[in-house]
């Protein structure tokens, strides 16, 4: 842990912080995000696309257009193919259509972990904004199989009043007709809309390639209408403004943590996260590791919110305490927590494998390919008292996190209850 002394020196005075503008992601990263969150939907021999927006245990929810799923019938099979090539059954009973707009939600079940779309602010998409459309194309011509394609373009116009079925975004991306239902992403890889129709000067059937201006539905339209049909969605937080960098409660300056996260230095940021939480809770690092009496409830809510907001922002909603809390609550909401609940949590965030809790050097993946909620991970050291008992009794050789499964079982609930008390969403 190399950042704790730096942190202490920063808490003595509050500097004037210049806000940092988050740079647009390179095309390669946008492409990776798009491929991971986009699914292929096949109904009656037709192909469309959709985007994974929610997970509740083993059930994933996919947002698409009604036109993609209009051919689904109770007695006819339909399928969803995820980024790993797995084919899942799309059951008719899961289909939910939103009123007055060309949007629908379908579901599939899987014990595998898939990435969810990070929610962006579609109200900030204006004329000239860069957007990306990534989806699956129908075979045809020289292309004999369905392939994933992604193109960039710009918002050419935003209609003050939506057209029929909710379409309000017009953009210049080159797309194919079978890419209907694809996610519309901003330059930070966040979901801001759903791609749908093509604007054409003629009334003829559109060609396989959409050469002109495409039409999309702003994501806010979906967010506003979802409650009207009782959609229970545990959506990731909306990622918008930079969080504050100085805590008014403790005068702690979080610029270093912000910079590490912005540079995607996940391991260093993970280490610093634990050190800063020790500091604001009034604890210290000892030669034997973390102080065994740390009380998570001594971490001020303001500091917890700043740390969480920074992780959320720079991971595109992939990492953060609130992500972990929401996953925990989705498991806990069905039954009172048991040891099995903790194990299922570990499975979902990638801290367990093949039925066993992993050592730190085995389970931590310090990049965005990790499952949602995988980081911060060093925070699991916060129940030091039990961990030190486990450490000395088991002869742990991989560092103080070797007993991570036991720590989660005995202490993670305290963090989640504190996060809930601090209104982390």
């Amino acid at each position: 842990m190399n950042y704790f002394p730096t942190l202490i020196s920063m808490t003595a005075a509050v500097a004037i912080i210049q806000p940092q503008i988050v740079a647009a992601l390179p095309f390669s990263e946008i492409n990776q995000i798009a491929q991971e969150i986009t699914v292929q939907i096949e109904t009656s021999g037709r192909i469309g696309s959709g985007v994974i927006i929610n997970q509740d245990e083993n059930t994933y929810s996919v947002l698409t257009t009604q036109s993609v799923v209009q051919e689904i019938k109770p007695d006819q099979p339909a399928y969803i193919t995820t980024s790993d090539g797995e084919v899942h059954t799309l059951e008719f009973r899961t289909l939910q259509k939103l009123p007055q707009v060309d949007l629908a939600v379908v579901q599939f079940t899987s014990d595998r972990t898939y990435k969810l779309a990070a929610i962006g602010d579609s109200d900030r998409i204006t004329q000239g904004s860069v957007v990306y459309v990534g989806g699956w194309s129908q075979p045809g011509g020289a292309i004999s199989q369905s392939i994933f394609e992604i193109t960039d373009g710009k918002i050419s116009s935003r209609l003050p009043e939506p057209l029929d079925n909710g379409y309000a975004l017009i953009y210049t991306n080159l797309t194919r007709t079978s890419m209907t239902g694809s996610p519309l992403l901003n330059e930070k890889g966040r979901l801001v809309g759903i791609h749908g129709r093509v604007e054409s000067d003629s009334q003829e059937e559109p060609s396989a390639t959409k050469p002109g201006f495409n039409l999309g539905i702003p994501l806010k339209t979906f967010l506003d209408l979802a409650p009207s049909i009782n959609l229970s969605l545990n959506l990731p937080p909306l990622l918008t403004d930079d969080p504050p960098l100085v805590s008014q409660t403790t005068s702690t300056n979080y610029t270093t943590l912000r910079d590490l996260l912005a540079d995607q230095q996940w391991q260093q940021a993970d280490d610093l996260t634990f050190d800063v939480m020790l500091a604001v809770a009034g604890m210290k690092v000892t030669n034997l590791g973390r102080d065994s009496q740390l009380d998570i409830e001594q971490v001020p809510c303001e500091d917890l919110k700043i740390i969480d907001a920074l992780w959320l922002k720079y991971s595109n909603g992939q990492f953060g305490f609130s992500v972990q809390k929401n996953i925990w609550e989705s498991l806990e909401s069905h039954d009172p927590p048991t040891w099995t609940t903790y194990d299922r949590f570990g499975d979902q965030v990638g801290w367990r494998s093949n039925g066993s809790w992993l050592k730190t050097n085995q389970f931590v993946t310090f990049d965005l390919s990790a499952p949602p909620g995988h980081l911060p991970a060093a925070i699991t050291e916060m129940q030091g008292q039990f961990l030190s008992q486990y450490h000395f009794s088991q002869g742990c050789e991989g560092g103080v996190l070797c007993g991570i499964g036991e720590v989660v079982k005995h202490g993670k609930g305290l963090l989640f209850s504190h996060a809930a008390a601090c209104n982390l969403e």
Side-chain angles (χ1 to χ4, degrees):
M1 309 291 181
N2 299 322
Y3 295 93
F4 186 62
T6 304
L7 172 69
I8 295 300
S9 67
M10 290 191 297
T11 59
V14 177
I16 298 176
I17 305 299
Q18 295 295 328
Q20 173 172 306
I21 303 300
V22 183
L25 295 179
F27 184 88
S28 59
E29 290 190 33
I30 298 286
N31 178 50
Q32 179 180 348
I33 292 171
Q35 290 198 46
E36 290 176 343
I37 64 176
T38 305
V39 300
Q40 179 188 101
I41 301 175
E42 182 178 357
T43 62
S44 302
R46 296 180 56 188
I47 287 177
S49 297
V51 56
I52 305 175
I53 57 168
N54 190 67
Q55 179 183 9
D56 183 5
E57 296 192 35
N58 291 340
T59 300
Y60 290 87
S61 296
V62 173
L63 179 61
T64 185
T65 64
Q66 292 189 25
S67 54
V68 168
V69 294
Q70 64 184 355
E71 299 298 326
I72 293 181
K73 301 292 189 297
D75 57 344
Q76 294 182 350
Y79 304 99
I80 289 176
T81 303
T82 42
S83 58
D84 56 357
E86 286 292 307
V87 180
H88 315 270
T89 299
L90 191 168
E91 297 187 11
F92 177 80
R93 61 180 178 82
T94 70
L95 173 61
Q96 292 182 282
K97 297 180 179 180
L98 280 82
Q100 300 178 339
V101 294
D102 186 17
L103 291 174
V105 173
V106 292
Q107 295 179 331
F108 69 93
T109 59
S110 175
D111 57 4
R112 299 194 177 191
T113 299
Y114 296 107
K115 187 169 184 175
L116 309 183
I119 303 303
D121 188 353
S122 59
D123 284 346
R124 294 194 172 194
I125 297 299
T126 58
Q127 196 168 23
S129 296
V130 174
V131 290
Y132 298 83
V133 176
W136 291 90
S137 62
Q138 183 89 21
I143 303 175
S144 60
Q145 61 183 2
S146 178
I147 61 172
F148 181 85
E149 297 186 71
I150 182 170
T151 62
D152 58 353
K154 291 185 177 182
I155 298 291
S156 58
S157 183
R158 177 156 189 164
L159 303 176
E161 293 295 331
L163 302 174
D164 292 342
N165 296 326
Y167 288 96
L169 301 175
I170 305 176
Y171 39 96
T172 63
N173 304 58
L174 183 66
T175 64
R176 297 180 184 273
T177 54
S178 56
M179 292 169 67
T180 297
S182 302
L184 186 67
L185 305 178
N186 65 13
E187 58 186 1
K188 299 169 187 175
R190 300 169 187 168
L191 183 65
V192 292
I194 297 297
H195 167 67
R197 291 166 26 188
V198 57
E199 173 65 17
S200 175
D201 290 332
S202 72
Q203 300 300 316
E204 299 176 1
E205 184 72 17
S207 62
T209 301
K210 296 181 177 181
F213 294 97
N214 297 273
L215 298 173
I217 301 174
L219 186 64
K220 188 175 186 300
T221 301
F222 166 71
L223 297 177
D224 289 343
L225 289 175
S228 67
I229 55 173
N230 298 317
L231 278 179
S232 178
L233 297 174
N234 180 25
L235 291 173
L238 179 65
L239 304 174
T240 54
D241 296 332
D242 287 323
L245 294 177
V246 177
S247 167
Q248 300 302 311
T249 303
T250 64
S251 298
T252 303
N253 189 319
Y254 288 94
T255 304
T256 301
L257 179 60
R258 188 276 311 274
D259 291 345
L260 288 172
L261 290 169
D263 291 339
Q264 298 192 1
Q265 300 297 313
W266 305 115
Q267 184 169 2
Q268 294 92 325
D270 195 40
D271 291 344
L272 180 56
T273 294
F274 190 15
D275 287 344
V276 72
M277 293 186 75
L278 282 167
V280 299
M283 310 311 296
K284 61 183 178 180
V285 177
T286 70
N287 292 333
L288 295 178
R290 304 314 196 214
D291 193 296
S292 63
Q293 302 299 317
L294 178 60
D295 183 356
I296 180 64
E297 293 184 348
Q298 296 304 310
V299 177
C301 287
E302 182 185 6
D303 291 79
L304 194 65
K305 288 181 176 180
I306 292 174
I307 295 169
D308 182 56
L310 288 168
W311 275 96
L312 285 171
K313 182 175 181 63
Y314 292 102
S315 69
N316 286 326
Q318 186 82 347
F319 305 139
F321 300 138
S322 57
V323 178
Q324 296 170 348
K325 178 187 77 76
N326 291 338
I327 292 172
W328 171 260
E329 290 178 346
S330 72
L331 299 173
E332 189 184 26
S333 63
H334 296 276
D335 298 289
T338 63
W339 298 129
T340 302
T341 311
Y342 293 101
D343 290 342
R344 286 163 58 201
F345 174 83
D347 291 334
Q348 193 153 324
V349 300
W351 295 350
R352 278 170 43 95
S353 178
N354 297 322
S356 299
W357 289 88
L358 301 175
K359 295 181 180 180
T360 312
N361 57 358
Q362 293 175 321
F363 84 81
V364 180
T365 301
F366 291 110
D367 60 55
L368 289 172
S369 68
H374 189 70
L375 297 173
I379 193 61
T380 53
E381 293 182 68
M382 299 204 67
Q383 293 302 307
Q385 184 174 10
F386 184 86
L387 182 54
S388 62
Q389 293 172 359
Y390 183 91
H391 174 82
F392 292 117
S393 65
Q394 299 294 328
C396 177
E397 298 178 353
V400 292
L401 270 176
C402 289
I404 187 164
E406 302 301 328
V407 177
V408 170
K409 290 179 181 178
H410 287 76
K412 215 30 172 158
L414 295 178
L415 172 61
F416 297 152
S417 62
H418 188 49
C422 290
N423 296 318
L424 264 67
E425 298 296 335

